[in-house]
Amino acid sequence: MHKSLVIVESPAKARTIKRYLGKNYEVEASMGHIKDLPKTVLGIDLEHAFQPSYKIKPEKKDIVKKLRQHAASSDVVFLASDPDREGEAIAWHIAEEIKKPLTHIRRIIFHEITKKAIEEAINAPKELNRALYDAQMARRAMDRIVGYTMSPLLWRKVKRGLSGGRVQSVALKLICLRQEEIETFVSQEYWTIETLLKTRSGETFSARVSDPKEIPDELRAAQIEEQIRNAQQIRITKAKKQRRLKHPLPPFITSTLQQASSGRLKFSAKKTMTIAQQLYEGVPIGGNEITGLITYMRTDSPTISNEALQGLRDFIPSIYGSQYLPEKPRFYKAKKSAQEAHEAIRPTSLANTPELLKPHLNRDQQALYELIWKRFIASQMKSAEFEQTTIDISADEVGLRANGSVMKFEGFLKVYDLPEEGDTLLPENLQEGNVLSLEKLEKKQHFTQPPPRYTEASLIKELEDKGIGRPSTYAPTISTILDRGYVQMDGRALVPTELGRDVNHLLVKHYPNILDIGFTARMEDSLDRIEEGTDAYDSVMTGFYETYSHEHERAKEQMENLRAERRPSGLTCEKCGRDLLIKLGKNGYFLGCSGYPECMNTREYTRDETGRILLKEQKEPEVTEIPCEKCGAPMVLKHGKFGEFLACSNYPACKNTQATTKAEKTERTCDKCGSPLLIKQGRYGPFLACSNYPKCKNILPYPLGLKCPIRTCDGEIVRQRSKRGKIFYACSKKECGFISWTKPIARQCPKCSADFLVRKDSRALCPNPDCDHEEAL
C-alpha cells in the first residue's frame, strides 16, 4: 500500500484534483450521497432517540464496492466532500461503508478547487465533524417525519401527488398571505401637483407639493392649484446641501447571489445554483485544463480570507487607480447563524477577468461569473460620493420641495452599477430668499397600490430575513412548490393557485405551530446549535416531535376532506339556474352544477387579481365528418387538459375518444398482422399503432432511431412510460435490459462511437458501460 485515496462528490472534481495531486493519489467520486433513508418506510426510529436507518442506495452499490476496493489498497483515505452539512453527511456515510479504521481516514475541507487550496487541505487534514453530521441528520429526520406523515394525509383529504414540508409549507404560507393582502387591499385616491419654476436668471427646475397626503381628492387638488397660481410670492425658504455616501455591498452569499441573479439576469434560483455549481467545479480553460472559477456557492458568510483580501487591495489600484482604494479594508459582518469558516462567493483568481474567460464560458456562465467578479471587486472599493441638495419653497401657504443629487465621485459604481442610482440636476445658484416664477403646473390623480406579489428573489430575501431555511434550501423549496402546482409563475411573480391556497388553509388551520414562522425559525436555530455542539440531536428532535405529533394526530381526525367538499361559487348554472359549486377533480378545480346528475353542466374558471371567479369562454364542440368507429355517430372536436381530441357526439351513451393528429405512415410492419405501422400521438406522446385498427389493436413504443449502446445487442432505443407515468428510454429487446431515465442526447460518443450520450447533472456521459467518456454540457 503506497497510495492515498481522495474521495470527492463528482467526476468533474475528481479529474481536476487528480491533476493537482499527481501519481501518488487516487481520486474517486461518490456521485453524491451513497446512503439515504429507505423510500418505503419512515426510516426514523421514533421510540429510540430518533435514530435514522440509512441504507446504501441501490444505484450506488457498485460505486460503494469500488470505493471499498480502492480504500483497501490505500494507506490513507481523504474524504473531500463539500464543506457543509450535506457534504459532512456524505463523508460520514463513506467512512462507515469503506471498512477502514478511523485512524486511516481524514476529512479535508476546501472552498475553492485550485491547486493551492487542494494542497493546503491535504497538508492540514481534520477529523470528521460529528456535530455537523448530527445537524444534517436532524434536518433530514425532521423533514422525513413531516413529509412521510403530512403528505399522505393531503393525499387522502385533497388529491394524490401532493406534499407538505417543514420549510416548503411555510414558504407557501408567505405567498398565500401576500395574496390575501392584495385581495383585501383597499385602494386610496391621492393627487400630486408638479410645478416647473423659473429663477430670475432664466433657469428652470421641477418642484412638487411636499406632502401628497394633503391632496386626497380632486377638489383639494384644485384648491391647492388655485393657491399656487394666485400666490403673492414664490420664494426659496431653505436651501440645504449635504454630502451623501453610497457604500458598496458585501460580496455575494447564496441568497444575495440568487436575488441579484434574478433581478439582473432573470435567472431562477435553481438555474443560478446550477450555473454556480459549474463555475465552482470548473470549466476547461487553455486546452483541456479544468479550472475552478469561484469559491463554494452554498454559504451564508460574507467574509473573505486574508489572502484574498490582500490580493484584492493590490488589484484595485493597479487597474482602477489608488483613488478607488479605501485607506482601510472593509470587513462585513456575518449573521449570528452564519458559518464563519466559509467564505463569500468570490473568484478564485482575479487574473481570470470576465473578458479573459469569455471565449471559454457559455452566455449564462459568463453573465453569472461577471456578476460575481464585479460584486467582489466593488466590495473593497471606496464609497460613491453624492452632493444631495434639498430646496424648500413657499407659495404663500403651500409648501413645495425640490430634491437633486449630483455624483461627485463614482467610487465602487465604476465597477458595480446600481440601476436605481440616478442624478437629478438642480441649478447651482439656488439660495435661500431667491424669488421664483411659476412656468407650469400639472396635477395628477393616483391610487395607492397593493403590495407586490413575491418574486423568487423577494421570497428568498423574506425567508432569509425571517430565519427560515438555509442557503442550500432556497432553490429546492421554490422548485417544490412550483412542481406540486401550489404556485404558478405570472411573469416573474409567484401566484398561489387554487390548490395551493386550499392546501395552505388546511395546513395553517391544523398545524398552527409547525407552520408558525417563529417556530420554523427556532428550529433552524436549533440545528445551528447542534452544529456548534451546544445542543444534542436527540433533545432537539424530542422537542420538535412533541409539537408535531400532537398537531398531526389532531389533524388526522379533524382535517376537512376537500375531495367530498362542494363549495358555493356565488354563480348560477346557465342551463338550469341552480348554484354552481367549486369542485376538485383529478385534473384540478372546475365548476359543476349542484343539480348533478340531472344537470351535468361544468365550466372552467380563473380568478382575477382580487380572487373573483371569472368563467372561461366556453366553445361549442365542432362537429366533424369523422364517424365514431364504435357507434357510427359523428365525432366532435373538444379541448381537454392535453389539447384537442375527438369525442363521440353520442356521449354519454358512447364514450369513445381518439386523437386528432393525423397518423404518419412508416416503413415498419406490425409483428402481429403484417399491416403497416403508423406514428400516432397519444396523451403521453408518440407511439406506433397498427393501421389495421380496430381489427388489430397492436401498439409499440416509439423508436428514436438510436442503436442500443450495448455492443453485443442489435436493438434500438424506444421511448416508454412506467406504471407511474414517468417517461424512460430502453432497449427494444427486453432481454437486453438497457434503460435510461434521462432523455438521450443525439451526439455520438467520440471515444466508442455509441449513438448517443445521456445527461448526468451538468455532464454528458456515454451510456456504454465499457466506456468512461464524459464531457461538459
Side-chain angles (χ1 to χ4, degrees):
M1 295 190 295
H2 60 281
K3 285 191 175 183
S4 296
L5 173 65
V6 179
I7 302 177
V8 296
E9 293 182 42
S10 73
K13 277 189 195 177
R15 284 192 300 273
T16 306
I17 294 172
K18 171 65 176 173
R19 191 178 71 251
Y20 291 152
L21 294 179
K23 62 181 181 180
N24 291 326
Y25 291 87
E26 288 291 335
V27 186
E28 294 293 333
S30 70
M31 307 298 289
H33 284 275
I34 63 166
K35 296 169 74 173
D36 199 2
L37 297 172
K39 291 184 177 181
T40 55
V41 294
L42 180 63
I44 306 293
D45 191 339
L46 303 178
E47 304 297 327
H48 298 90
F50 303 94
Q51 288 304 303
S53 300
Y54 284 110
K55 306 293 183 186
I56 296 175
K57 292 181 169 185
E59 68 272 21
K60 295 296 180 69
K61 287 183 178 179
D62 289 342
I63 292 175
V64 172
K65 182 179 179 181
K66 184 179 180 182
L67 294 179
R68 283 175 182 163
Q69 290 172 348
H70 282 286
S73 60
S74 302
D75 290 314
V76 180
V77 177
F78 294 97
L79 302 177
S81 46
D82 286 341
D84 56 14
R85 290 173 184 166
E86 293 298 321
E88 195 67 25
I90 291 172
W92 273 87
H93 291 160
I94 293 172
E96 291 169 354
E97 295 300 327
I98 60 175
K99 312 300 182 184
K100 194 85 170 173
L102 284 178
T103 52
H104 293 269
I105 295 176
R106 297 288 183 270
R107 178 77 165 106
I108 59 172
I109 302 289
F110 48 85
H111 301 281
E112 57 186 72
I113 305 177
T114 60
K115 183 177 177 63
K116 185 174 184 294
I118 302 302
E119 289 177 346
E120 287 179 352
I122 288 285
N123 292 328
K126 304 175 184 295
E127 299 295 325
L128 286 165
N129 187 334
R130 181 71 203 194
L132 192 60
Y133 175 39
D134 283 349
Q136 188 277 343
M137 197 162 61
R139 177 187 292 280
R140 188 78 179 91
M142 288 181 188
D143 291 344
R144 172 55 73 103
I145 290 169
V146 174
Y148 266 51
T149 54
M150 184 186 287
S151 299
L153 184 59
L154 291 175
W155 283 37
R156 293 197 303 272
K157 301 293 186 178
V158 186
K159 62 177 292 191
R160 292 179 63 85
L162 302 184
S163 69
R166 191 178 56 85
V167 175
Q168 76 170 60
S169 296
V170 176
L172 174 62
K173 176 182 176 179
L174 290 173
I175 295 171
C176 291
L177 285 174
R178 178 58 56 88
Q179 182 64 29
E180 290 172 10
E181 289 181 60
I182 293 171
E183 292 175 1
T184 58
F185 181 82
V186 179
S187 183
Q188 300 290 326
E189 179 186 9
Y190 72 96
W191 288 67
T192 57
I193 295 179
E194 189 94 20
T195 65
L196 183 66
L197 303 176
K198 186 176 182 180
T199 66
R200 285 183 174 176
S201 59
E203 296 173 298
T204 59
F205 64 97
S206 297
R208 63 169 52 190
V209 173
S210 305
D211 189 0
K213 293 179 181 177
E214 295 179 356
I215 320 175
D217 51 43
E218 188 174 13
L219 177 61
R220 180 59 181 149
Q223 292 172 348
I224 294 176
E225 178 187 14
E226 185 178 0
Q227 285 179 279
I228 295 172
R229 292 189 183 279
N230 296 330
Q232 295 294 316
Q233 187 182 67
I234 302 176
R235 61 187 290 274
I236 296 176
T237 57
K238 186 178 180 181
K240 181 181 178 182
K241 290 187 178 183
Q242 60 183 7
R243 178 171 169 265
R244 180 172 65 88
L245 297 177
K246 185 77 174 178
H247 302 299
L249 299 169
F252 283 127
I253 58 176
T254 304
S255 59
T256 55
L257 176 63
Q258 291 171 344
Q259 292 164 40
S261 174
S262 173
R264 292 176 180 243
L265 307 179
K266 307 300 184 286
F267 289 175
S268 69
K270 184 177 181 180
K271 180 176 180 178
T272 298
M273 295 309 291
T274 299
I275 298 170
Q277 180 87 33
Q278 295 165 4
L279 296 175
Y280 168 67
E281 292 193 347
V283 297
I285 295 175
N288 293 321
E289 184 175 344
I290 296 177
T291 303
L293 298 179
I294 64 171
T295 53
Y296 192 54
M297 64 287 164
R298 293 186 182 90
T299 175
D300 51 7
S301 172
T303 60
I304 60 175
S305 68
N306 291 332
E307 183 181 358
L309 177 60
Q310 188 55 54
L312 181 51
R313 286 182 62 80
D314 292 340
F315 180 84
I316 291 170
S318 67
I319 301 298
Y320 302 103
S322 58
Q323 67 271 29
Y324 288 93
L325 183 70
E327 291 183 9
K328 295 181 179 180
R330 296 183 183 277
F331 295 99
Y332 296 98
K333 189 176 180 181
K335 296 183 303 178
K336 182 181 177 182
S337 61
Q339 299 178 66
E340 294 288 349
H342 285 193
E343 280 196 72
I345 304 169
R346 61 167 177 82
T348 56
S349 172
L350 292 173
N352 290 327
T353 63
E355 293 77 18
L356 183 67
L357 295 180
K358 198 168 187 177
H360 307 289
L361 303 178
N362 63 38
R363 186 174 62 180
D364 290 344
Q365 290 171 337
Q366 168 73 15
L368 191 66
Y369 181 77
E370 185 172 2
L371 190 65
I372 293 168
W373 193 88
K374 287 184 173 181
R375 176 80 165 238
F376 178 59
I377 302 296
S379 69
Q380 288 296 326
M381 294 179 76
K382 272 190 176 180
S383 302
E385 294 183 22
F386 295 85
E387 183 180 76
Q388 181 78 43
T389 305
T390 303
I391 307 295
D392 288 335
I393 303 159
S394 68
D396 288 353
E397 300 300 320
V398 180
L400 304 170
R401 174 166 287 180
N403 290 304
S405 178
V406 178
M407 183 188 291
K408 293 297 185 180
F409 176 65
E410 60 185 339
F412 76 94
L413 294 175
K414 185 176 182 67
V415 175
Y416 191 83
D417 66 299
L418 298 178
E420 70 275 11
E421 199 65 63
D423 294 347
T424 303
L425 298 178
L426 293 174
E428 284 285 341
N429 57 349
L430 295 179
Q431 297 179 5
E432 186 176 328
N434 286 168
V435 176
L436 309 168
S437 60
L438 178 66
E439 288 290 299
K440 187 178 178 181
L441 184 147
E442 184 179 19
K443 61 180 187 292
K444 289 183 179 179
Q445 183 187 37
H446 305 273
F447 293 92
T448 55
Q449 297 297 310
R453 289 188 171 116
Y454 285 112
T455 62
E456 284 199 12
S458 60
L459 180 62
I460 288 169
K461 186 176 188 307
E462 187 76 1
L463 291 170
E464 183 186 32
D465 290 346
K466 294 185 180 301
I468 299 167
R470 285 297 180 262
S472 60
T473 65
Y474 298 134
T477 294
I478 294 173
S479 293
T480 299
I481 59 178
L482 285 167
D483 292 343
R484 295 291 181 270
Y486 295 156
V487 174
Q488 61 188 15
M489 301 295 295
D490 181 7
R492 294 175 58 208
L494 296 167
V495 184
T497 61
E498 190 101 5
L499 176 64
R501 298 184 70 172
D502 278 348
V503 168
N504 175 68
H505 172 75
L506 292 177
L507 296 182
V508 169
K509 180 178 179 181
H510 296 288
Y511 295 90
N513 283 306
I514 297 303
L515 265 74
D516 177 70
I517 292 169
F519 178 82
T520 305
R522 289 193 295 275
M523 286 298 100
E524 295 291 350
D525 290 340
S526 69
L527 295 176
D528 293 334
R529 291 195 300 273
I530 294 175
E531 182 176 330
E532 294 161 3
T534 58
D535 217 334
Y537 168 84
D538 55 350
S539 63
V540 169
M541 288 301 304
T542 299
F544 166 78
Y545 189 68
E546 284 177 355
T547 300
Y548 177 76
S549 60
H550 172 73
E551 293 189 343
H552 181 64
E553 291 303 316
R554 188 174 58 186
K556 287 196 295 185
E557 297 176 3
Q558 300 179 5
M559 185 178 283
E560 301 86 337
N561 189 340
L562 294 191
R563 287 175 177 267
E565 191 176 46
R566 300 292 181 263
R567 290 168 289 171
S569 66
L571 301 174
T572 56
C573 175
E574 69 273 21
K575 292 187 176 180
C576 71
R578 284 176 279 202
D579 292 337
L580 285 176
L581 303 177
I582 299 174
K583 297 183 178 182
L584 178 59
K586 65 178 181 179
N587 293 329
Y589 288 84
F590 66 97
L591 298 179
C593 183
S594 57
Y596 179 87
E598 291 84 6
C599 178
M600 302 178 68
N601 184 34
T602 62
R603 296 295 300 270
E604 295 181 0
Y605 70 96
T606 60
R607 292 184 184 269
D608 64 11
E609 188 84 4
T610 63
R612 185 167 57 95
I613 290 177
L614 301 175
L615 293 175
K616 288 186 177 180
E617 185 180 353
Q618 197 171 31
K619 295 180 180 179
E620 288 296 322
E622 179 185 341
V623 180
T624 71
E625 297 179 358
I626 302 171
C628 173
E629 67 264 25
K630 290 188 177 180
C631 70
M635 302 291 280
V636 295
L637 185 66
K638 290 192 172 184
H639 297 267
K641 181 179 180 182
F642 300 97
E644 292 183 342
F645 66 98
L646 293 173
C648 183
S649 59
N650 196 24
Y651 180 86
C654 178
K655 297 181 179 180
N656 182 36
T657 62
Q658 64 184 58
T660 59
T661 309
K662 292 182 180 179
E664 180 183 342
K665 289 185 178 180
T666 72
E667 296 180 357
R668 299 168 185 262
T669 56
C670 176
D671 55 353
K672 290 187 177 180
C673 72
S675 300
L677 289 174
L678 306 175
I679 299 175
K680 289 191 173 183
Q681 293 290 333
R683 176 177 178 181
Y684 297 100
F687 64 95
L688 295 179
C690 183
S691 58
N692 196 23
Y693 181 87
K695 290 182 180 179
C696 178
K697 298 182 178 180
N698 185 29
I699 61 172
L700 295 169
Y702 181 69
L704 303 183
L706 301 172
K707 294 179 182 178
C708 178
I710 308 300
R711 291 180 178 177
T712 57
C713 177
D714 60 354
E716 60 180 335
I717 302 302
V718 294
R719 181 180 186 272
Q720 299 195 52
R721 183 170 61 90
S722 70
K723 292 180 180 179
R724 295 188 176 184
K726 188 173 181 180
I727 299 298
F728 67 96
Y729 304 87
C731 180
S732 57
K733 294 194 171 183
K734 293 181 180 179
E735 62 271 18
C736 171
F738 173 80
I739 185 172
S740 171
W741 291 99
T742 59
K743 187 175 181 179
I745 302 168
R747 186 159 71 244
Q748 192 178 64
C749 174
K751 192 169 183 180
C752 74
S753 299
D755 264 17
F756 62 96
L757 303 177
V758 293
R759 177 186 290 272
K760 177 66 176 179
D761 300 323
S762 62
R763 313 290 295 169
L765 314 179
C766 180
N768 180 359
D770 298 325
C771 178
D772 59 357
H773 174 72
E774 289 186 34
E775 60 184 60
L777 284 172

